[in-house]
């Protein structure tokens, strides 16, 4: 950066320029006043002159001499004030530079730190003394931003690692099945069918996983909202669940203030609630789910209660984490990637709501959704 463009240079120039301007104005006005005063006839009629016996006897000649001496003094004052401008210029530049340098030091440090920032040291904070001024405010905000970015980077990295890990297993299964089918010359039709069925399961797992991943990335962006009737959403959820329930004995009941309306996305809310109901069918080992809607002062609460095995207390918060499964083996058997509830939570949060598991409920699992 060229020196003339630097903030330090501009600040110095402004500071010293203004200081110089004020001093020059002061000197000029002093000179004008003095010139006016000195060029006038000396006033000998005043009290002081009259009382002084020496002055009372002053002659015209002496008067002229006094006048000349005064004009001489005026000239001297003019020369002195002109010369005094030189050290004043130097002094104003010097102090201007020192002030600008001191003011901009933290900014320069911040710039150096920003240049050295990378994804590795994004979480490291810049040390500073909180003086409560604007610069400390900027550094404080910068530290806060770095912390947030670092968290986002880490979770992004973790997410990619987990997603690749999830995709690796079904891919390995498909690879092994293909190898088996190709290497074994004496393979029967039934065995081949079995290998293909197994591969099909892996493919459908990968399908639903990639769909979930896509949905998660969509959830990061803006969602279209409209007035959504909760009854319509729950009706669609029940219809969809029938295909999951199949021949099983599993009943779903809906009660309460179902005719409530929320402002949000019908499709996303359907997805969020379907995940909860689907989980009960897949994991709870129970055979019913009761859905109750309650109107509250601010919005509504929906309770999804099943009569299954429930969720261990220490896992109640973790189940909303991405890729978390209570029983990995069982979840894999039913095609779960551990993204279902994290998607549900994100959808609910996107609607300015919240979801949790009721820790007090003991006869199964109860999810409470606040919208
Ligand atoms: P997935 O996408 O694999 O189905 P989820 O994120 O939806 O996973 O659920 C996380 C875990 O929570 C599941 O692996 C399951 O063990 C547990 N879970 C969720 N709902 C229930 C329930 N109603 N009863 C028992 N366990 C449940």
């Amino acid at each position: 950066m060229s020196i003339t463009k630097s903030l330090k240079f501009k600040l110095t120039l402004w500071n010293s320029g203004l200081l110089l301007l004020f001093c020059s104005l002061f000197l000029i006005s002093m000179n004008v006043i003095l010139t006016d005063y000195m060029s006038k006839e000396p006033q000998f009629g005043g009290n002081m002159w009259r009382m002084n016996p020496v002055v009372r006897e002053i002659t015209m000649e002496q008067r002229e001499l006094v006048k000349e001496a005064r004009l001489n003094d005026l000239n001297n004052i003019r020369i002195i004030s002109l010369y005094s401008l030189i050290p004043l210029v130097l002094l104003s530049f010097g102090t201007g530079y020192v002030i600008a340098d001191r003011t901009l030091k933290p900014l320069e440090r911040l710039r150096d730190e920003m240049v050295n920032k990378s994804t590795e040291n994004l979480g490291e904070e810049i040390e500073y003394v909180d003086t409560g001024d604007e610069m400390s405010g900027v550094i404080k905000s910068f530290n806060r931003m770095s912390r947030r970015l670092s968290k986002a980077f880490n979770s992004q990295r973790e997410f990619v690692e987990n997603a690749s890990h999830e995709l690796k297993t079904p891919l390995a299964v498909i690879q092994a099945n293909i190898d088996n089918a190709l290497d074994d010359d004496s393979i029967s039709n039934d065995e081949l069918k079995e290998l293909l069925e197994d591969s099909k399961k892996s493919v459908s797992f990968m399908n639903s996983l990639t769909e979930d991943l896509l949905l998660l990335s969509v959830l990061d962006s803006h969602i279209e909202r409209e007035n959504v009737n909760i009854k319509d959403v729950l009706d669609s959820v029940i219809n969809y669940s029938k295909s999951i329930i199949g021949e099983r004995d599993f009943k779903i009941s809906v009660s309460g203030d179902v005719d409530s309306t929320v402002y949000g996305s019908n499709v996303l809310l359907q997805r969020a609630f379907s995940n909860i109901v689907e989980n009960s069918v897949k994991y709870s080992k129970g055979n019913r789910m009761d859905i109750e809607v309650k109107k509250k002062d601010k919005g509504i609460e929906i309770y999804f209660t099943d009569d299954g095995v429930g969720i261990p207390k220490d896992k109640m918060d973790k189940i909303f984490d991405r890729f978390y499964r209570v029983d990995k083996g069982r979840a894999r058997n039913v095609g779960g990637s551990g993204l279902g509830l994290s998607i549900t939570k994100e959808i609910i949060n996107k609607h300015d709501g919240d979801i949790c598991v009721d820790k007090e409920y003991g006869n199964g699992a109860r999810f409470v959704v606040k919208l």
Side-chain angles (χ1 to χ4, degrees):
M1 185 174 40
S2 86
I3 181 87
T4 49
K5 279 189 185 158
S6 82
L7 208 54
K8 203 186 279 185
F9 177 76
K10 285 178 191 164
L11 266 179
T12 308
L13 219 60
W14 269 102
N15 217 355
S16 49
L18 281 177
L19 197 66
L20 205 63
L21 183 75
F22 290 136
C23 289
S24 310
L25 281 178
F26 177 72
L27 286 177
I28 290 169
S29 43
M30 282 309 288
N31 266 290
V32 170
I33 294 168
L34 277 174
T35 310
D36 182 53
Y37 179 73
M38 298 279 206
S39 55
K40 276 185 189 152
E41 266 304 292
Q43 298 296 310
F44 296 110
N47 258 354
M48 194 186 76
W49 295 100
R50 238 180 286 133
M51 273 150 58
N52 190 331
V54 180
V55 175
R56 246 188 285 147
E57 286 159 21
I58 202 161
T59 63
M60 274 306 280
E61 227 168 86
Q62 283 167 325
R63 277 187 183 214
E64 280 306 312
L65 274 176
V66 171
K67 201 175 163 189
E68 210 180 302
R70 286 176 66 168
L71 285 176
N72 239 350
D73 284 348
L74 183 64
N75 254 348
N76 285 341
I77 289 171
R78 274 185 191 149
I79 291 165
I80 291 168
S81 46
L82 208 65
Y83 278 123
S84 71
L85 273 180
I86 298 167
L88 208 67
V89 170
L90 294 176
L91 198 73
S92 63
F93 264 100
T95 48
Y97 182 82
V98 171
I99 292 171
D101 188 53
R102 284 198 63 141
T103 315
L104 296 176
K105 261 262 132 59
L107 199 64
E108 282 177 343
R109 250 194 67 213
L110 183 64
R111 181 201 57 200
D112 294 344
E113 293 279 353
M114 281 164 102
V115 168
N116 293 327
K117 278 274 175 229
S118 67
T119 45
E120 272 72 39
N121 63 1
L122 203 56
E124 287 170 23
E125 299 197 354
I126 300 174
E127 281 175 28
Y128 70 103
V129 182
D130 193 356
T131 50
D133 62 7
E134 287 87 345
M135 271 329 293
S136 333
V138 169
I139 299 179
K140 202 191 276 182
S141 307
F142 180 78
N143 280 344
R144 213 177 299 143
M145 184 191 75
S146 303
R147 232 179 295 136
R148 274 206 308 267
L149 277 179
S150 159
K151 221 170 145 191
F153 265 117
N154 286 341
S155 71
Q156 195 80 15
R157 190 181 297 153
E158 216 172 274
F159 181 67
V160 172
E161 275 170 17
N162 281 331
S164 335
H165 185 75
E166 289 297 327
L167 284 169
K168 251 166 110 181
T169 316
L171 277 173
V173 171
I174 296 170
Q175 175 83 53
N177 288 346
I178 293 172
D179 287 346
N180 265 350
L182 288 177
D183 294 348
D184 190 354
D185 294 333
S186 57
I187 194 163
S188 68
N189 270 353
D190 283 348
E191 283 168 330
L192 196 60
K193 208 171 162 201
E194 208 178 299
L195 288 179
L196 286 175
E197 289 286 350
D198 198 32
S199 304
K200 195 179 160 192
K201 256 194 229 162
S202 296
V203 170
S204 75
F205 172 79
M206 287 197 295
N207 254 337
S208 69
L209 178 64
T210 42
E211 258 173 39
D212 285 352
L213 292 175
L214 269 176
L215 180 60
L216 275 174
S217 76
V218 169
L219 283 178
D220 281 339
S221 51
H222 171 77
I223 59 164
E224 292 296 326
R225 290 176 185 231
E226 58 188 324
N227 279 328
V228 179
N229 184 266
I230 289 296
K231 187 175 182 310
D232 293 345
V233 178
L234 291 176
D235 282 348
S236 306
V237 170
I238 292 169
N239 261 340
Y240 165 76
S241 304
K242 280 180 188 154
S243 63
I244 313 274
I245 294 167
E247 298 298 306
R248 270 189 56 185
D249 172 26
F250 195 95
K251 298 271 177 303
I252 303 174
S253 74
V254 177
S255 61
D257 307 312
V258 278
D259 258 327
S260 312
T261 307
V262 292
Y263 190 60
S265 156
N266 193 323
V267 179
L268 289 179
L269 287 174
Q270 266 182 47
R271 178 63 195 259
F273 299 160
S274 297
N275 283 348
I276 303 174
V277 177
E278 194 180 326
N279 278 348
S280 278
V281 179
K282 285 195 303 192
Y283 305 115
S284 77
K285 296 181 188 155
N287 40 25
R288 63 173 301 110
M289 157 143 291
D290 298 314
I291 305 173
E292 193 187 359
V293 186
K294 275 188 190 167
K295 255 194 188 138
K296 294 280 165 180
D297 286 346
K298 286 182 183 169
I300 55 166
E301 282 181 10
I302 311 175
Y303 300 86
F304 296 86
T305 313
D306 69 32
D307 60 347
V309 290
I311 295 155
K313 267 213 163 93
D314 57 324
K315 311 273 164 51
M316 283 180 174
D317 294 325
K318 287 193 184 133
I319 54 170
F320 296 104
D321 291 349
R322 290 178 178 183
F323 300 106
Y324 185 83
R325 285 161 288 204
V326 175
D327 178 351
K328 247 188 168 154
R330 179 168 164 73
R332 220 185 271 285
N333 277 342
V334 291
S337 61
L339 283 177
L341 284 177
S342 66
I343 289 176
T344 298
K345 190 174 171 67
E346 259 177 68
I347 293 174
I348 304 289
N349 290 161
K350 202 86 192 161
H351 285 77
D352 307 318
D354 203 7
I355 179 170
C356 64
V357 181
D358 185 346
K359 293 197 164 105
E360 308 305 321
Y361 190 74
N363 303 323
R366 173 177 279 168
F367 288 84
V368 184
V369 173
K370 291 178 187 171
L371 282 172

